[in-house]
Amino acid sequence: MKKNIILIGFMGIGKGTTARAYAEKYNCFNIDTDDLIESKTNQKVKEIFEEKGEGHFRKLEQDCADWIESSVDNTFISCGGGFYNVENIKKLGTVVLLDASYDWIYNRLSTAENAKSKLKKRPLFSEPKKAKKLYKEREKAYKKIADVIIDVENKDMKNIIKEIHTGSYI
Ligand code: S3P
């Protein structure tokens, strides 16, 4: 079993922020699947969606998962919101879900200092009604695939990363 932490959850819930805080506190490497895809393709996620479509992006996520399976261990990996769907997710490490209500996530994103750019870079968040529908569709699947579920609503980062550490190997 790999000792990676695979951090999943809905767009805007704070996976990247959590990953950076965790890596700093527990002194481990942290990578992000969207960043890996952007560096491999030299394109932004938004551009990939616009130019090649969502299906192509999902293939790139699967390539990324295959690379993690063959080459990455002892690493904290934050994942795009749809990454839970890759076929080998359970082989990549301990799957940790960040969980919160849709309204809390939307409020977190839309009141952030750089809210405009946070919303703009996420093609699937361009229409809040559609995003809410996607949240509802994914809610159960996220929980089913997760080894550990962390409720992050109104919890401070110190406690979130402590809980992740308790439930994982790195
Ligand atoms: C997506 C989430 C995004 C990014 C892409 C698709 C999704 O990542 O991978 O826009 O399907 O939920 P974040 O969860 O980091 O926003």
Side-chain angles (χ1 to χ4, degrees), residues 9-13 15-16 32-34 37 45-46 49 54 57-58 61 79-84 118 121-125 134 138 142:
F10 201 68
M11 292 176 281
I13 198 163
K15 290 164 288 181
D32 178 90
T33 60
D34 282 347
I37 289 169
V45 169
K46 189 173 184 283
F49 267 73
E54 183 175 345
F57 178 75
R58 300 304 172 199
E61 287 192 311
C79 304
F83 193 84
Y84 74 102
K118 277 183 179 284
K121 74 171 193 184
R122 295 180 163 95
L124 298 178
F125 229 124
L134 190 63
R138 285 183 179 171
Y142 279 147

Coordinates of all heavy atoms in Angstrom, one line a residue, residues 9-13 15-16 32-34 37 45-46 49 54 57-58 61 79-84 118 121-125 134 138 142, ligand 1:
G9 N -12.2 16.2 -2.9 CA -13.3 17.0 -2.4 C -13.8 18.0 -3.5 O -13.1 18.1 -4.5
F10 N -14.9 18.7 -3.2 CA -15.5 19.5 -4.2 C -14.6 20.8 -4.4 O -13.8 21.2 -3.6 CB -16.9 19.9 -3.8 CG -17.7 20.4 -4.9 CD1 -18.1 19.5 -5.9 CD2 -18.1 21.7 -5.0 CE1 -18.9 19.9 -7.0 CE2 -18.9 22.2 -6.1 CZ -19.3 21.3 -7.0
M11 N -14.7 21.3 -5.7 CA -14.0 22.5 -6.0 C -14.2 23.6 -5.0 O -15.3 23.8 -4.5 CB -14.6 23.1 -7.3 CG -14.4 22.4 -8.5 SD -15.3 23.2 -9.9 CE -17.0 22.6 -9.7
G12 N -13.1 24.3 -4.6 CA -13.2 25.4 -3.7 C -13.3 25.1 -2.2 O -13.4 26.0 -1.4
I13 N -13.2 23.9 -1.9 CA -13.3 23.5 -0.5 C -12.0 23.8 0.3 O -12.0 23.8 1.5 CB -13.8 22.0 -0.3 CG1 -14.3 21.8 1.1 CG2 -12.6 21.1 -0.6 CD1 -15.2 20.6 1.3
K15 N -8.6 22.4 -0.8 CA -7.7 21.3 -0.9 C -6.2 21.8 -1.0 O -5.3 21.3 -0.3 CB -8.0 20.3 -2.0 CG -9.3 19.5 -1.8 CD -9.8 18.9 -3.1 CE -10.3 20.0 -4.0 NZ -10.8 19.5 -5.3
G16 N -6.0 22.8 -1.8 CA -4.7 23.3 -2.0 C -4.1 24.0 -0.8 O -3.0 23.7 -0.4
D32 N 0.0 18.7 -6.7 CA -1.4 19.0 -7.0 C -1.7 18.4 -8.4 O -0.9 18.7 -9.3 CB -1.7 20.5 -6.9 CG -3.1 20.8 -7.2 OD1 -4.0 20.8 -6.3 OD2 -3.5 21.0 -8.4
T33 N -2.8 17.7 -8.6 CA -3.0 17.0 -9.9 C -3.2 18.1 -11.0 O -2.8 17.9 -12.1 CB -4.1 16.0 -9.8 OG1 -5.3 16.7 -9.4 CG2 -3.8 14.9 -8.9
D34 N -4.0 19.2 -10.7 CA -4.2 20.2 -11.7 C -2.8 20.8 -12.1 O -2.6 21.1 -13.3 CB -5.1 21.3 -11.2 CG -6.6 20.9 -11.2 OD1 -6.9 19.8 -11.8 OD2 -7.4 21.6 -10.6
I37 N -1.0 18.5 -14.4 CA -1.5 18.5 -15.8 C -1.1 19.8 -16.5 O -0.8 19.8 -17.7 CB -3.1 18.3 -15.7 CG1 -3.4 16.9 -15.2 CG2 -3.7 18.6 -17.0 CD1 -4.8 16.6 -14.9
V45 N -5.9 24.7 -16.9 CA -7.0 23.8 -16.9 C -8.2 24.4 -17.8 O -8.8 23.7 -18.6 CB -7.5 23.5 -15.5 CG1 -8.8 22.8 -15.5 CG2 -6.4 22.7 -14.8
K46 N -8.4 25.7 -17.5 CA -9.5 26.4 -18.2 C -9.3 26.3 -19.8 O -10.3 26.0 -20.5 CB -9.5 27.8 -17.8 CG -10.7 28.6 -18.2 CD -10.6 30.0 -17.5 CE -11.8 30.8 -17.8 NZ -11.8 31.4 -19.1
F49 N -10.1 22.7 -21.0 CA -11.6 22.6 -21.2 C -12.1 23.3 -22.4 O -12.9 22.7 -23.2 CB -12.3 23.2 -19.9 CG -12.5 22.1 -18.8 CD1 -11.5 21.7 -18.0 CD2 -13.8 21.7 -18.6 CE1 -11.7 20.8 -17.0 CE2 -14.1 20.8 -17.5 CZ -13.0 20.3 -16.7
E54 N -13.9 18.6 -21.9 CA -13.8 17.9 -20.5 C -13.3 16.5 -20.7 O -12.5 16.0 -19.9 CB -15.2 18.0 -19.8 CG -15.0 17.4 -18.4 CD -16.3 17.5 -17.6 OE1 -17.2 18.3 -17.9 OE2 -16.4 16.8 -16.6
F57 N -9.7 16.4 -20.7 CA -9.1 16.7 -19.4 C -9.2 15.4 -18.5 O -8.2 15.1 -17.8 CB -9.8 17.9 -18.8 CG -9.4 18.2 -17.4 CD1 -8.1 18.9 -17.2 CD2 -10.1 17.8 -16.3 CE1 -7.7 19.1 -15.9 CE2 -9.6 18.1 -15.0 CZ -8.4 18.8 -14.8
R58 N -10.3 14.7 -18.6 CA -10.4 13.5 -17.7 C -9.4 12.4 -18.1 O -8.9 11.7 -17.3 CB -11.8 12.9 -17.8 CG -12.9 13.8 -17.4 CD -12.8 14.3 -16.0 NE -13.7 15.4 -15.6 CZ -13.6 16.2 -14.6 NH1 -12.5 16.2 -13.9 NH2 -14.5 17.1 -14.4
E61 N -6.2 13.4 -16.5 CA -6.3 13.1 -15.0 C -5.9 11.6 -14.9 O -5.2 11.2 -13.9 CB -7.7 13.3 -14.5 CG -8.0 14.8 -14.3 CD -9.2 15.1 -13.4 OE1 -10.3 14.5 -13.7 OE2 -9.1 15.9 -12.5
C79 N -6.0 16.9 -5.1 CA -6.6 16.5 -6.4 C -7.7 17.4 -6.9 O -8.4 18.0 -6.1 CB -7.2 15.1 -6.3 SG -6.0 13.9 -5.7
G80 N -7.8 17.6 -8.2 CA -9.0 18.3 -8.8 C -10.3 17.6 -8.3 O -10.3 16.4 -8.0
G81 N -11.3 18.4 -8.3 CA -12.6 17.9 -7.8 C -13.2 16.6 -8.5 O -14.0 15.9 -8.0
G82 N -12.7 16.4 -9.8 CA -13.2 15.2 -10.5 C -12.3 14.0 -10.5 O -12.5 12.9 -11.0
F83 N -11.1 14.2 -9.8 CA -10.1 13.2 -9.8 C -10.5 11.9 -9.1 O -9.9 10.8 -9.4 CB -8.8 13.7 -9.2 CG -7.6 12.9 -9.4 CD1 -6.8 13.1 -10.6 CD2 -7.1 12.0 -8.5 CE1 -5.7 12.4 -10.8 CE2 -6.0 11.3 -8.7 CZ -5.2 11.4 -9.9
Y84 N -11.5 12.0 -8.2 CA -11.9 10.8 -7.5 C -12.4 9.7 -8.5 O -12.4 8.5 -8.1 CB -13.1 11.1 -6.5 CG -14.4 11.4 -7.3 CD1 -15.4 10.4 -7.3 CD2 -14.6 12.5 -7.9 CE1 -16.6 10.6 -8.0 CE2 -15.8 12.8 -8.6 CZ -16.8 11.8 -8.6 OH -17.9 12.0 -9.3
K118 N -10.6 33.0 -8.6 CA -10.9 31.7 -8.1 C -12.1 31.1 -8.9 O -12.1 29.9 -9.2 CB -11.2 31.7 -6.6 CG -9.9 31.7 -5.7 CD -10.3 31.6 -4.3 CE -9.1 31.6 -3.3 NZ -8.4 30.3 -3.2
K121 N -11.1 30.6 -12.9 CA -10.2 29.5 -13.3 C -10.9 28.1 -13.3 O -10.4 27.1 -13.7 CB -8.9 29.5 -12.5 CG -9.0 29.0 -11.1 CD -7.6 28.9 -10.5 CE -7.7 28.1 -9.2 NZ -6.4 28.0 -8.6
R122 N -12.1 28.1 -12.7 CA -12.9 26.8 -12.6 C -14.1 26.7 -13.5 O -15.1 27.2 -13.2 CB -13.3 26.6 -11.1 CG -12.2 26.5 -10.2 CD -12.6 26.3 -8.7 NE -11.6 25.8 -7.9 CZ -10.8 26.5 -7.1 NH1 -10.9 27.8 -7.1 NH2 -9.8 26.0 -6.4
P123 N -13.9 26.1 -14.7 CA -14.9 26.1 -15.7 C -16.3 25.6 -15.2 O -17.3 26.0 -15.6 CB -14.4 25.3 -16.9 CG -13.0 24.8 -16.5 CD -12.7 25.4 -15.2
L124 N -16.2 24.6 -14.3 CA -17.4 23.9 -13.8 C -18.1 24.7 -12.7 O -19.1 24.4 -12.2 CB -17.1 22.5 -13.4 CG -16.6 21.6 -14.5 CD1 -16.3 20.2 -13.9 CD2 -17.6 21.4 -15.6
F125 N -17.5 25.9 -12.3 CA -18.1 26.7 -11.3 C -18.7 28.0 -12.0 O -19.1 28.9 -11.3 CB -17.1 27.1 -10.2 CG -17.7 26.9 -8.9 CD1 -17.0 26.1 -7.9 CD2 -18.9 27.5 -8.5 CE1 -17.5 25.9 -6.7 CE2 -19.4 27.3 -7.2 CZ -18.7 26.5 -6.3
L134 N -23.9 19.6 -9.7 CA -22.7 18.7 -9.7 C -22.4 18.2 -8.3 O -22.0 17.0 -8.0 CB -21.5 19.4 -10.3 CG -20.3 18.7 -10.7 CD1 -20.6 17.6 -11.7 CD2 -19.2 19.6 -11.2
R138 N -22.2 14.3 -6.9 CA -21.0 13.7 -6.5 C -20.9 13.4 -5.0 O -20.1 12.6 -4.6 CB -19.8 14.7 -6.8 CG -19.4 14.7 -8.2 CD -18.3 15.6 -8.3 NE -17.8 15.7 -9.7 CZ -16.9 16.6 -10.1 NH1 -16.4 17.4 -9.2 NH2 -16.5 16.6 -11.4
Y142 N -18.2 10.7 -3.5 CA -17.0 11.1 -2.7 C -16.9 10.3 -1.4 O -15.9 9.8 -1.1 CB -17.1 12.6 -2.3 CG -16.8 13.6 -3.4 CD1 -17.4 14.8 -3.4 CD2 -15.7 13.4 -4.3 CE1 -17.1 15.8 -4.3 CE2 -15.4 14.4 -5.2 CZ -16.1 15.6 -5.2 OH -15.7 16.6 -6.1
Ligands
S3P1 C1 -12.8 20.1 -11.5 C2 -12.2 20.7 -10.4 C3 -11.0 21.6 -10.7 C4 -10.3 21.2 -11.9 C5 -11.2 21.2 -13.1 C6 -12.4 20.2 -12.9 C7 -14.0 19.2 -11.2 O1 -10.1 21.5 -9.6 O2 -9.7 19.9 -11.8 O3 -11.7 22.5 -13.3 O4 -14.4 18.4 -12.0 O5 -14.5 19.3 -10.0 P1 -10.4 22.1 -8.1 O6 -11.2 21.1 -7.3 O7 -9.1 22.3 -7.5 O8 -11.1 23.4 -8.3

